[in-house]
C-alpha cells in the first residue's frame, strides 16, 4: 500500500513538472511570437525607406558600371563588336561544322572572310575619299556659291557672301583647322589599329571556342530549368542576329545598287561610292538615312544648276529607302522581331554618346539581344523545349 501511494505521489510530481515545463515552453513561444510581430510591424514601417535605399544602391552601381564601360571603351569596343559579329556568324559556323569542318579552321575561315570584306570596303572608299580631300576647298567654294542665293533668302540666318570670306567660316580658317583635324586623325590612328587587332583576335578566339563557351555558360546554372532557359536564350539570340543581319545585308545590298543607279542617272560623281555609303549607312537606323540624304542633296545642288534636278536624287533615294524600311523589311522579317523605333532611337543616342560611331553601329544588335532575352524570359506562352531525362 505504501508502495502504491509512493508511486502515485511520484507520478503526480512528474506530471506537475511536465506541466510546468510545458507552460514555460508555451510562454516562451508566446513571447517569441509577440517579439516577431513587433519586429514585423517595425519592418513594415521602414519598408519605404528600405526600398529607397535599395534603389539608391542599384543606381550607384549602375552609374559606376557605366563609368567603367566608358573608361574601358578601348578594350570593350572591339571585344563587344567581336562577340556580336561572332554571334551573327553563329548560323554559318553551325553549318560549316555539320559539313565536317574543324572548329579552328571554321574560325579562321569566317574571321578571314570578315577581314576580307572590311579590306574591300576600305579599299573601295580610299581612292574617292582621297580625291575628295584634295578637292575639298573647290568643293566647299562651289557649295557656297550654289547655296548662297537660297541662304540669303532666309533673313534670320544673317548669312552673306562676306560670311565665308572672313571669320571662322572662311576657307583660309577651314584650311588651317584641317591641319588640326589631320593631326587628330593621325593620333587616333594607332588606337584604331590596336582596336582592329583586338577585334580580329577576339573574333577568331570567340569562333574557335564558341561551343565550349556555350557549355560553360549553361553549366554555371545549377537547376534544370535554369539550364533550359540558358540554352533557349543563347539559341534565340544567335538565330535572331544571324537571320536579321543576313536578311538586312541582302536588302541593303539591293538598296546600295539602287543608290548607285540613282547617282549615275542623276549625274553624280563616283556613283559606286554613293552605293557603298548607302549600304553601310542603312545599318544605322535614322542617323544613316539622314546623313546620306543630306549629303546627296548638297551634292546634287552642287552638280546641277536647277535646284529641282539637284534635289531629285536625294528625294528618289529617300523614297526608296522609306519604302524598303516600312514595307519590304517588315514583310520579310516578320512582326515578331519589329523593334519600337523610339527605343532604337534612344539606344543609338546612348551608345553613340558612350562609344561614338562604333556605338551607333552596335546600338541595333544590342537592342535585338535585349529584346530577345526579354521575350524568352517573360513570355509564358512560348513552347518550352524538353531535355531528355
Amino acid at each position: 500500500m505504501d508502495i502504491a501511494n509512493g508511486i502515485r505521489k511520484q507520478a503526480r510530481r512528474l506530471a506537475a513538472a511536465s506541466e510546468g515545463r510545458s507552460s514555460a515552453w508555451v510562454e516562451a513561444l508566446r513571447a517569441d511570437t509577440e517579439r516577431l510581430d513587433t519586429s514585423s510591424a517595425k519592418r513594415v514601417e521602414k519598408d519605404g525607406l528600405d526600398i529607397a535605399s535599395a534603389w539608391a544602391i542599384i543606381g550607384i552601381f549602375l552609374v559606376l558600371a557605366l563609368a567603367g564601360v566608358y573608361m574601358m571603351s578601348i578594350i570593350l569596343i572591339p571585344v563587344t563588336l567581336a562577340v556580336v559579329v561572332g554571334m551573327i556568324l553563329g548560323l554559318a559556323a553551325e553549318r560549316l561544322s555539320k559539313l565536317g569542318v574543324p572548329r579552328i579552321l571554321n574560325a579562321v575561315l569566317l574571321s578571314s572572310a570578315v577581314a576580307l570584306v572590311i579590306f574591300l570596303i576600305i579599299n573601295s572608299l580610299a581612292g574617292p575619299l582621297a580625291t575628295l580631300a584634295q578637292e575639298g576647298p573647290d568643293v566647299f567654294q562651289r557649295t557656297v556659291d550654289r547655296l548662297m542665293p537660297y541662304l540669303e533668302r532666309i533673313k534670320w540666318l544673317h548669312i552673306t557672301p562676306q560670311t565665308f570670306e572672313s571669320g571662322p567660316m572662311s576657307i583660309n580658317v577651314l584650311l588651317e583647322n584641317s591641319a588640326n583635324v589631320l593631326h587628330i586623325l593621325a593620333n587616333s590612328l594607332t588606337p584604331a589599329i590596336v582596336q582592329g587587332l583586338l577585334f580580329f583576335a577576339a573574333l577568331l578566339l570567340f569562333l574557335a571556342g564558341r561551343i565550349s563557351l556555350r557549355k560553360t555558360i549553361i553549366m554555371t546554372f545549377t537547376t534544370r530549368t535554369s539550364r533550359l532557359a540558358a540554352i533557349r536564350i543563347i539559341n534565340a539570340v544567335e538565330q535572331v542576329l544571324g537571320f536579321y543581319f543576313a536578311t538586312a545585308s541582302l536588302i541593303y545590298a539591293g538598296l546600295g545598287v539602287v543608290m548607285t543607279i540613282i547617282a549615275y542617272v542623276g549625274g553624280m560623281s563616283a556613283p559606286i561610292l554613293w552605293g557603298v555609303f548607302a549600304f553601310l549607312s542603312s545599318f544605322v537606323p535614322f542617323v544613316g538615312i539622314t546623313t546620306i540624304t543630306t549629303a546627296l542633296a548638297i551634292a546634287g545642288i552642287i552638280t546641277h544648276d536647277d535646284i529641282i534636278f539637284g534635289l531629285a536624287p536625294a528625294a528618289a533615294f529617300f523614297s526608296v529607302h522609306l519604302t524598303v524600311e516600312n514595307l519590304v523589311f517588315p514583310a520579310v522579317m516578320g512582326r515578331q522581331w519589329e523593334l519600337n523605333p523610339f527605343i532604337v532611337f534612344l539606344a543609338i543616342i546612348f551608345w553613340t554618346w558612350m562609344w561614338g560611331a562604333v556605338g551607333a553601329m552596335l546600338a541595333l544588335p544590342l537592342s535585338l539581344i535585349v529584346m530577345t532575352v526579354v521575350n524568352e524570359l517573360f513570355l509564358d506562352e512560348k513552347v518550352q523545349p524538353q531535355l531528355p531525362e
Side-chain angles (χ1 to χ4, degrees):
M1 195 68 165
D2 292 335
I3 295 174
N5 291 332
I7 291 174
R8 282 194 293 271
K9 290 179 181 179
Q10 185 67 22
R12 283 194 295 270
R13 241 186 336 270
L14 290 174
S18 176
E19 185 179 355
R21 285 196 299 270
S22 177
S23 62
W25 180 80
V26 171
E27 292 296 331
L29 181 60
R30 186 179 294 111
D32 291 339
T33 304
E34 292 176 355
R35 193 179 305 112
L36 287 174
D37 292 340
T38 305
S39 62
S40 298
K42 292 180 179 177
R43 197 160 49 245
V44 170
E45 293 176 0
K46 294 183 179 180
D47 271 348
L49 182 59
D50 292 340
I51 293 174
S53 301
W55 279 109
I57 294 173
I58 293 173
I60 293 172
F61 173 78
L62 289 177
V63 170
L64 293 177
L66 292 177
V69 170
Y70 181 80
M71 296 299 294
M72 298 177 63
S73 60
I74 192 171
I75 297 175
L76 291 179
I77 288 176
V79 172
T80 305
L81 186 61
V83 172
V84 171
V85 173
M87 297 184 76
I88 291 173
L89 297 175
L91 296 178
E94 289 289 342
R95 294 184 179 181
L96 288 177
S97 299
K98 290 179 180 179
L99 294 175
V101 180
R103 293 179 186 174
I104 185 64
L105 182 58
N106 191 339
V108 171
L109 290 175
L110 292 176
S111 57
S112 300
V114 173
L116 180 61
V117 170
I118 295 176
F119 173 77
L120 291 177
I121 292 175
I122 293 176
N123 187 54
S124 63
L125 296 180
L129 289 178
T131 303
L132 183 62
Q134 292 177 355
E135 298 177 355
D138 295 335
V139 172
F140 178 77
Q141 188 61 52
R142 291 201 303 270
T143 304
V144 171
D145 294 339
R146 291 294 176 86
L147 294 179
M148 185 55 61
Y150 307 103
L151 294 177
E152 286 180 330
R153 296 176 185 176
I154 307 175
K155 301 299 182 179
W156 57 271
L157 289 177
H158 302 290
I159 293 179
T160 61
Q162 289 74 24
T163 304
F164 300 97
E165 295 176 1
S166 61
M169 298 183 65
S170 64
I171 297 179
N172 294 330
V173 174
L174 291 177
L175 291 176
E176 292 176 0
N177 293 332
S178 64
N180 297 329
V181 173
L182 294 176
H183 179 69
I184 294 173
L185 292 176
N187 291 336
S188 303
L189 184 61
T190 301
I193 294 175
V194 173
Q195 287 183 322
L197 296 176
L198 286 175
F199 165 73
F200 287 113
L203 179 61
L204 178 62
L205 295 175
F206 179 81
L207 290 173
R210 190 175 64 90
I211 302 300
S212 59
L213 182 61
R214 283 167 57 100
K215 292 180 180 178
T216 302
I217 293 174
I218 293 169
M219 295 307 295
T220 53
F221 299 95
T222 56
T223 63
R224 174 186 172 86
T225 305
S226 300
R227 289 177 180 176
L228 279 172
I231 295 172
R232 190 173 66 250
I233 289 173
I234 293 174
N235 290 338
V237 168
E238 288 189 349
Q239 182 181 4
V240 168
L241 288 178
F243 181 74
Y244 189 96
F245 281 95
T247 308
S249 298
L250 293 176
I251 293 176
Y252 293 151
L255 188 64
V257 173
V258 173
M259 178 71 250
T260 303
I261 296 173
I262 291 175
Y264 178 78
V265 174
M268 312 291 292
S269 59
I272 297 179
L273 180 63
W274 285 106
V276 174
F277 276 150
F279 170 73
L280 296 177
S281 64
S282 297
F283 285 97
V284 184
F286 308 118
V287 178
I289 178 62
T290 302
T291 303
I292 194 72
T293 303
T294 303
L296 195 59
I298 294 175
I301 293 175
I302 297 174
T303 304
H304 299 283
D305 295 330
D306 192 343
I307 189 172
I308 296 178
F309 288 106
L311 294 177
F317 173 73
F318 183 80
S319 301
V320 172
H321 194 283
L322 200 65
T323 303
V324 168
E325 288 291 342
N326 292 277
L327 296 179
V328 178
F329 213 97
V332 175
M333 295 300 298
R335 296 292 178 181
Q336 70 271 18
W337 288 343
E338 188 175 357
L339 292 173
N340 189 309
F342 181 69
I343 299 299
V344 176
F345 181 70
L346 292 180
I348 292 173
I349 294 175
F350 174 78
W351 287 110
T352 303
W353 169 65
M354 289 289 288
W355 288 350
V358 180
M361 291 188 294
L362 285 173
L364 182 58
L366 292 177
S367 300
L368 283 172
I369 292 173
V370 173
M371 180 201 70
T372 305
V373 172
V374 171
N375 287 344
E376 294 296 330
L377 286 178
F378 298 106
L379 289 186
D380 296 333
E381 62 271 14
K382 284 183 173 292
V383 178
Q384 305 297 337
Q386 295 294 327
L387 289 179
E389 296 292 345

